[in-house]
Amino acid sequence: MKQMLGIVLFMFILSGCNWMYSTGNSSNANDFDLSSAGLTVPDFEFTNQLGERFGSPQLDGQYWLATMAFTNCPSVCPTMIPNMKNLQDEMIAKGIEMKFVMFTVDPETDTPDHLKTYSENVGADHSYWHFLTGYEFEEIQELSLEAFKSPVEQVEESNDIMHSTRFFLVNPEGLVIRAYDGLESNQKEIIRDLLEAVKG
């Protein structure tokens, strides 16, 4: 029974909550659109990889792309984070002013110093991308559910943590308006939609 539960949880991780969002692998921008879902990110303030307080006050009035991940992730994050880095580079190259935010789902391990080393290793631009920690596991569970309707759960008898594999675009008013497949290797349509959404 435990083995079957492990398989189900693993498939759920890989699916990236496809049962909640129909996104990615499509040329139709409507497949990315969450603007009618009424999802709002609650106010938050945590600690970034530079040891600075960072949260809603610093993100107010601008677009930002959020994801859940953790540095010791053995499954999906090694694909997601390079994909997000590619989106960061595309936005920088096109002169788009926005922020990228990674919420760690393993705050006990992912200290600011640990996240700083990790962020440097993945090629993050610290003026664009903030890796957040400084909260309890239960806090990130609550924020992920409230803001993105995405569960965060420990996987029994595993070093993995179940979390969404989506990148969520938040508008200047704090509304979640897009969800992109963080595991999609062909980001052409994601980049096109992201540019159109941010440029308006």
Side-chain angles (χ1 to χ4, degrees), residues 2 13 16 28 41 53 61 72 107 110 115 135 150 154 166 172 185 188 198:
K2 284 186 176 181
I13 292 167
N28 187 349
V41 180
R53 299 299 292 172
N72 291 331
D110 289 342
L115 288 172
Y135 41 78
S150 301
Q154 297 279 357
R166 296 300 187 226
S185 59
K188 181 179 178 181
V198 173

Side-chain angles (χ1 to χ4, degrees), residues 42-103:
D43 288 343
F44 67 89
E45 189 173 39
F46 300 131
T47 303
N48 69 11
Q49 73 273 21
L50 303 178
E52 303 166 339
R53 299 299 292 172
F54 186 89
S56 303
Q58 291 75 31
L59 294 167
D60 186 45
Q62 59 186 307
Y63 287 92
W64 54 286
L65 198 67
T67 196
M68 305 286 165
F70 63 111
T71 61
N72 291 331
C73 176
S75 54
V76 293
C77 305
T79 298
M80 292 171 59
I81 297 304
N83 283 347
M84 197 170 206
K85 194 266 183 182
N86 186 57
L87 295 180
Q88 171 207 256
D89 292 347
E90 288 285 340
M91 296 305 107
I92 292 173
K94 291 176 171 56
I96 302 298
E97 291 293 331
M98 62 178 296
K99 293 288 188 268
F100 293 75
V101 175
M102 188 197 96
F103 295 95

Side-chain angles (χ1 to χ4, degrees), residues 17-192:
C17 305
N18 272 326
W19 57 276
M20 286 189 286
Y21 304 115
S22 175
T23 63
N25 299 310
S26 172
S27 60
N28 187 349
N30 291 331
D31 289 340
F32 303 128
D33 194 356
L34 285 182
S35 56
S36 62
L39 300 179
T40 303
V41 180
D43 288 343
F44 67 89
E45 189 173 39
F46 300 131
T47 303
N48 69 11
Q49 73 273 21
L50 303 178
E52 303 166 339
R53 299 299 292 172
F54 186 89
S56 303
Q58 291 75 31
L59 294 167
D60 186 45
Q62 59 186 307
Y63 287 92
W64 54 286
L65 198 67
T67 196
M68 305 286 165
F70 63 111
T71 61
N72 291 331
C73 176
S75 54
V76 293
C77 305
T79 298
M80 292 171 59
I81 297 304
N83 283 347
M84 197 170 206
K85 194 266 183 182
N86 186 57
L87 295 180
Q88 171 207 256
D89 292 347
E90 288 285 340
M91 296 305 107
I92 292 173
K94 291 176 171 56
I96 302 298
E97 291 293 331
M98 62 178 296
K99 293 288 188 268
F100 293 75
V101 175
M102 188 197 96
F103 295 95
T104 179
V105 295
D106 186 13
E108 184 175 347
T109 300
D110 289 342
T111 63
D113 285 344
H114 194 74
L115 288 172
K116 184 174 186 292
T117 299
Y118 179 77
S119 66
E120 291 169 348
N121 288 341
V122 300
D125 183 320
H126 291 173
S127 64
Y128 269 72
W129 198 347
H130 297 264
F131 295 70
L132 300 188
T133 188
Y135 41 78
E136 299 297 323
F137 181 73
E138 292 75 16
E139 290 180 83
I140 196 59
Q141 283 184 302
E142 184 178 341
L143 186 144
S144 185
L145 273 178
E146 183 175 349
F148 310 118
K149 293 296 181 285
S150 301
V152 172
E153 296 291 344
Q154 297 279 357
V155 179
E156 287 189 20
E157 300 181 6
S158 169
N159 293 325
D160 214 342
I161 300 172
M162 183 183 72
H163 59 86
S164 176
T165 58
R166 296 300 187 226
F167 300 154
F168 299 96
L169 180 63
V170 184
N171 75 4
E173 289 72 45
L175 300 176
V176 182
I177 60 171
R178 292 287 194 276
Y180 303 115
D181 185 353
L183 298 175
E184 176 58 68
S185 59
N186 184 352
Q187 294 184 305
K188 181 179 178 181
E189 295 302 329
I190 293 175
I191 292 168
R192 180 189 58 77

